[in-house]
């Protein structure tokens, strides 16, 4: 492992500028969004993605100009085509990650000039990591007295602390500025994983709460994995000054820990995953931390892990000082649908029926908003256990019930109405959709258990909103003044989940994603390749670039890479597409479902109702120019926000970019960054970007000027941070 930190011309002048304010903070106190900073990935510890800035507003959004742009191509031996970072900003300086080596960079917020960069050369350890590329960004900490740090997790799963002014590692943190996060990660009954090849990583940013850095864990995509006895998920807290381990929370409870009995037949010992791979939020005053937990191995078959499997697909509230569980809520019992909790919990102080409540609201793939008292864990509105279909897959023991919120209503599209929700642009397309649906097992549309699909029979079990439905990892936003959550949703994520036995040499799991009678194909996720040192990168990058409309970001593992050929067999567990990549349930290349494809909704947390809901994005070119639709007046369909498409809220606006490139009569080829009036959802402005949004937007002040920065990339367009501002 080698470390590099470099400076560029003009650094001495820039450092004087940074150092002119004590510890890089805003004058008059610690960094704050009220002073124009964006301190965390989500703006603040509550997960709001809210800034009170209003220099950019409805009257001038259309006039925004590109103030600066920063390409990330040089931060690695090859460019990155899936840049997901959201910078943090303190006193006009931006800190974020970039490139296929996950370099950390500091930029002048007024000009976009590079101040310093840092990277670790981790070799094979990074090359086989489960979560690669540049990740989601960094975290910032200051003692308010001149000790200012940037913390991030490397591709190879190391926690690194850097001097925010220079980019140099902090020698008193861990070992020469580095903590090896693989130490203490185990599989089985407690076997330490291999420090080089052991499977664990994370691409989210550490949660910095007071003087504590909290780090989660993640693993490979779970549709076709090699073993159910994988590395076990865990969340750990470290002293931000020294790197000393403070506590560990086991997401798979060990004997004697609460929830261990939900892993029947001692299956806790031979199963893994259950990580916390998205953002963690916290209430420092209450001393509570909120952990959104993912799925166990494997995503669609749980025969090797009978029981409800706590704390999989749960929200767990733990004590900041000790990591002890305070309360939990499991959203899906015995998960077999890939509904892992992908969004940061949102902390909100609301008033319900005249009673003030310290609440926590969790959006998710389901397209529901689950709302709890964040102190007690009691649901603010009833969440009912309702019967769901029973699995008939051999060895599977599905839960007889699942939780359903009664309020607020779904802001996404988790429930399917047939035939009303099927494509109806023309009678011919509707007829084809009805005929195609005969090849699949219907059910309740949510929690319809997977089946053993066959090329000669049913191809899968229909589900809505799992995998990449509803709201994914960028999470939602919250306006603390309006007490309103703003959430984007993929409304056409219809999947057909099918299982089949894998080749014996590939996996010890009895069934994985596949269809009997078709070639077995390994499914790789968007984080399974393409880092600077990846053993899969070349073919995977080419596959991704050749398929720019891939809605899930999943790539196919080519035989040339020495692995089974990858893809989604017959739509098994794969989302419907809007565009040129069918991928799932489609009719002549169009989604089998009718629009809207992607929406933004405003949900009031005082009342528990939906204030407004609008389509987001232009009608995709593949729909507008489809030969079967020639001459038809197609309404604005919106675009499905399937990956890094998140939003932010300002004093008056909701801001989010398009997930696809289009060419319309209103604008040349490109993607739009759009602004909506947050009171009613009407679009009040849009500016052109050369590529789709791939990381959530953020905003800040530099020299008194407000900027909006968003990461863009995709297809043949490599990663770039794009900054907009009102013309001077």
């Amino acid at each position: 492992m080698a470390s590099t930190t470099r400076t560029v011309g003009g650094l001495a002048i820039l450092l004087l500028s940074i150092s002119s304010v004590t510890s890089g903070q805003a004058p008059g106190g610690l960094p704050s969004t009220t002073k124009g900073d964006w301190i965390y990935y989500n703006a603040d510890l509550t997960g709001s993605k809210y800034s009170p800035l209003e220099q950019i507003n409805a009257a001038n959004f259309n006039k925004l100009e590109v103030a600066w742009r920063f390409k990330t191509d040089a931060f690695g031996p090859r460019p990155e085509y899936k840049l997901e970072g959201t910078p943090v900003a303190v006193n006009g300086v931006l800190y974020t990650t970039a490139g296929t080596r996950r370099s950390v960079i500091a930029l002048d917020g007024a000009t976009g000039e590079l101040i310093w960069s840092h990277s670790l050369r981790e070799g094979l350890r990074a090359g086989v990591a489960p979560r690669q590329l540049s990740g989601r960004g960094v975290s910032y900490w200051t003692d308010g007295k001149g000790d200012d740090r940037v913390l991030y997790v490397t591709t190879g799963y190391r926690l690194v602390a850097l001097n925010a002014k220079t980019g140099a590692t902090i020698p008193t943190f861990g070992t020469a500025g580095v903590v090896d996060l693989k130490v203490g990660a185990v599989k089985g009954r407690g076997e330490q994983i291999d420090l080089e090849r052991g499977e664990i990583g994370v691409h989210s940013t550490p949660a910095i709460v007071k003087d504590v850095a909290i780090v989660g864990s993640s693993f490979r995509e779970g549709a076709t994995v090699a073993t159910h006895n994988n590395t076990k998920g865990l969340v750990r807290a470290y002293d931000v000054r020294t790197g000393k381990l403070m506590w560990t929370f086991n997401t798979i409870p060990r004997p004697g820990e609460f929830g261990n009995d939900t892993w029947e037949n001692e299956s806790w010992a031979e199963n893994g995953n259950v990580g916390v791979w998205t953002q963690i939020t916290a209430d420092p005053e209450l001393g509570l931390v909120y952990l959104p937990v993912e799925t166990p191995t494997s995503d669609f078959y749980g025969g090797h892990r009978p029981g409800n499997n706590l704390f999989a697909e749960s929200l767990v509230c733990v004590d900041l000082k000790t990591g002890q569980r305070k309360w939990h809520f499991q959203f899906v019992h015995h998960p077999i649908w890939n509904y892992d909790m992908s969004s940061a919990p949102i902390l909100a102080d609301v008033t319900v029926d005249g009673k003030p409540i310290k609440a926590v609201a969790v959006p998710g793939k389901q397209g529901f908003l689950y709302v709890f008292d964040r102190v007690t864990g009691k649901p603010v509105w009833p969440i009912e256990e309702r019967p769901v279909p029973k699995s008939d897959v051999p060895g599977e023991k599905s839960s007889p019930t699942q939780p359903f919120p009664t309020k607020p209503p779904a802001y996404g599209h988790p429930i399917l109405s047939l035939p009303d929700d099927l494509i109806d642009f023309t009678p011919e397309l509707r007829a084809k959709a009805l005929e195609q649906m005969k090849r699949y097992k219907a059910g309740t549309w949510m929690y319809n258990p997977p089946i053993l699909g066959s090329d000669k029979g049913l191809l899968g079990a229909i589900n809505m909103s799992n995998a990449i439905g509803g709201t994914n990892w960028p999470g939602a936003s919250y306006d603390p003044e309006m007490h309103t959550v703003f959430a984007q949703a993929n409304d056409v994520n219809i999947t057909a989940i099918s299982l089949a036995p894998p080749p014996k040499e590939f996996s010890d799991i009895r069934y994985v994603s596949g269809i009997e009678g078709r070639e077995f194909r390994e499914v790789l996720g968007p984080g399974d390749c393409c880092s600077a040192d990846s053993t899969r990168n070349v073919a995977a990058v080419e596959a991704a670039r050749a398929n720019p409309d891939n809605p899930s970001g999943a790539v196919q593992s080519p035989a040339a890479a020495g692995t089974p050929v990858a893809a989604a067999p017959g739509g098994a567990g794969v989302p419907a597409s809007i565009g040129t990549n069918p991928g799932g349930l489609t009719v002549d290349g169009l989604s089998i479902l009718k629009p809207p494809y992607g929406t933004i909704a405003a949900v009031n947390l005082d009342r528990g109702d939906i204030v407004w809901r609008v389509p987001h994005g232009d009608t995709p070119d593949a729909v507008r120019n489809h030969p079967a639709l020639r001459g038809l007046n197609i309404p604005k369909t919106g675009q499905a926000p399937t990956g890094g498409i998140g939003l932010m809220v300002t004093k008056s606006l909701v801001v989010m970019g398009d997930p696809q490139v289009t060419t319309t009569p209103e604008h040349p080829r490109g993607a739009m960054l759009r602004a909506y009036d947050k009171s009613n959802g009407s679009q009040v402005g849009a500016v052109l970007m050369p590529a789709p949004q791939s990381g959530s937007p953020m905003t800040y002040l530099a020299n008194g000027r407000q900027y909006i920065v968003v990461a863009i990339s995709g297809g043949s367009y490599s990663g770039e941070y794009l900054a907009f501002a009102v013309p001077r």
Side-chain angles (χ1 to χ4, degrees), residues 360-380:
V360 55
V362 187
K365 297 178 179 181
Q366 293 93 331
F368 282 116
L369 198 63
Y370 301 80
V371 188
F372 308 91
D373 183 307
R374 69 176 182 264
V375 179
T376 66
K378 180 182 177 181
V380 171

Side-chain angles (χ1 to χ4, degrees), residues 76-252:
R78 62 189 64 83
E80 177 181 19
Y81 294 90
K82 197 172 190 299
L83 178 64
E84 296 177 345
T86 296
V88 297
V90 179
N91 198 31
V93 178
L94 270 61
Y95 306 94
T96 189
T97 47
T100 53
R101 202 175 294 284
R102 195 175 295 181
S103 300
V104 178
I105 57 175
L107 305 177
D108 184 318
T111 65
E113 294 174 274
L114 180 67
I115 299 173
W116 55 255
S117 71
H118 161 92
S119 67
L120 291 187
R121 306 298 175 94
E122 298 180 290
L124 180 63
R125 178 166 169 154
V128 298
R131 302 288 175 164
Q132 300 185 7
L133 298 175
S134 61
R136 312 272 156 85
V138 302
S139 299
Y140 178 88
W141 174 85
T142 178
D143 67 353
K145 300 175 182 178
D147 188 355
D148 311 320
R149 302 184 181 189
V150 172
L151 286 86
Y152 82 109
V153 179
T154 69
T155 312
Y157 203 50
R158 291 177 166 103
L159 178 63
V160 180
L162 305 173
N163 183 309
K165 301 181 185 69
T166 66
T169 53
I170 304 292
T172 56
F173 181 89
T175 302
V178 179
V179 172
D180 191 336
L181 296 174
K182 282 194 176 183
V183 174
V186 302
K187 61 181 180 180
R189 294 181 178 271
E191 176 189 349
Q192 168 66 51
I193 65 170
D194 184 85
L195 297 183
E196 191 82 350
R197 294 181 172 271
E199 183 182 316
I200 193 168
V202 78
H203 39 17
S204 57
T205 68
I208 307 295
V209 191
K210 296 183 177 178
D211 293 341
V212 181
I214 305 170
V215 182
S217 55
S218 59
F219 310 91
R220 293 196 185 283
E221 299 291 336
T224 56
V225 293
T227 180
H228 54 84
N229 189 17
N230 199 28
T231 311
K232 299 182 187 303
L234 74 172
V235 178
R236 287 171 291 186
Y238 296 88
D239 186 308
V240 77
R241 299 173 187 268
T242 66
K244 180 181 178 181
L245 177 66
M246 299 176 63
W247 52 257
T248 299
F249 180 80
N250 296 316
T251 53
I252 298 179

Side-chain angles (χ1 to χ4, degrees), residues 424-426 595 619 623-624 628-637:
D424 63 353
F425 291 136
T426 68
T619 300
V623 177
R624 178 185 291 103
L629 308 182
R630 188 172 292 117
L632 298 181
N633 183 21
I634 303 299
K636 183 178 180 179
T637 65

Side-chain angles (χ1 to χ4, degrees), residues 462-537:
I462 295 293
N463 277 273
M464 285 295 296
S465 288
N466 64 322
I468 57 169
T471 303
N472 213 290
W473 58 263
S477 298
Y478 177 70
D479 188 322
E481 297 177 356
M482 298 176 64
H483 292 189
T484 298
V485 168
F486 298 91
Q488 70 280 13
N490 176 355
D491 291 311
V492 286
N493 183 57
I494 181 171
T495 63
I497 310 178
S498 170
L499 299 173
K504 291 183 179 180
E505 67 277 7
F506 178 79
S507 177
D508 62 14
I509 298 177
R510 187 172 183 181
Y511 299 107
V512 299
S513 181
I515 295 177
E516 182 184 7
R518 296 187 181 179
E519 178 186 13
F520 169 72
R521 292 181 156 195
E522 181 188 12
V523 178
L524 296 180
D528 284 345
C529 77
C530 312
S531 77
D533 302 300
S534 175
T535 56
R536 303 187 194 240
N537 56 48

Side-chain angles (χ1 to χ4, degrees), residues 413-427:
H413 188 189
I415 307 299
L416 188 66
S417 297
L418 291 180
D420 293 347
D421 285 344
L422 295 181
I423 186 172
D424 63 353
F425 291 136
T426 68

Side-chain angles (χ1 to χ4, degrees), residues 28 41 90 120 126 141 226 272 313 354-355 478 538 543 561 610 677 702 719:
Y41 173 88
V90 179
L120 291 187
W141 174 85
E313 299 194 6
K355 178 184 177 182
Y478 177 70
V538 177
I610 294 178
D677 184 318

Side-chain angles (χ1 to χ4, degrees), residues 38 41-43 47-51 86 346 411 471-479 484-489 599-602 612 614 616 641 643-650 653-657 673-676 693 695-699 708-710:
W38 187 278
Y41 173 88
N42 289 316
S48 72
K49 295 194 180 75
Y50 171 80
S51 171
T86 296
I346 294 172
Y411 64 85
T471 303
N472 213 290
W473 58 263
S477 298
Y478 177 70
D479 188 322
T484 298
V485 168
F486 298 91
Q488 70 280 13
T599 56
I600 299 176
W612 52 260
V614 297
H616 171 70
I645 310 304
L647 46 75
M648 72 169 183
V649 187
T650 69
L653 303 175
V654 176
V655 179
M656 188 166 86
L673 181 69
R674 302 177 189 273
Y676 300 86
Q693 175 181 310
S696 296
M698 53 82 70
T699 188
I708 293 176
V709 168
V710 62

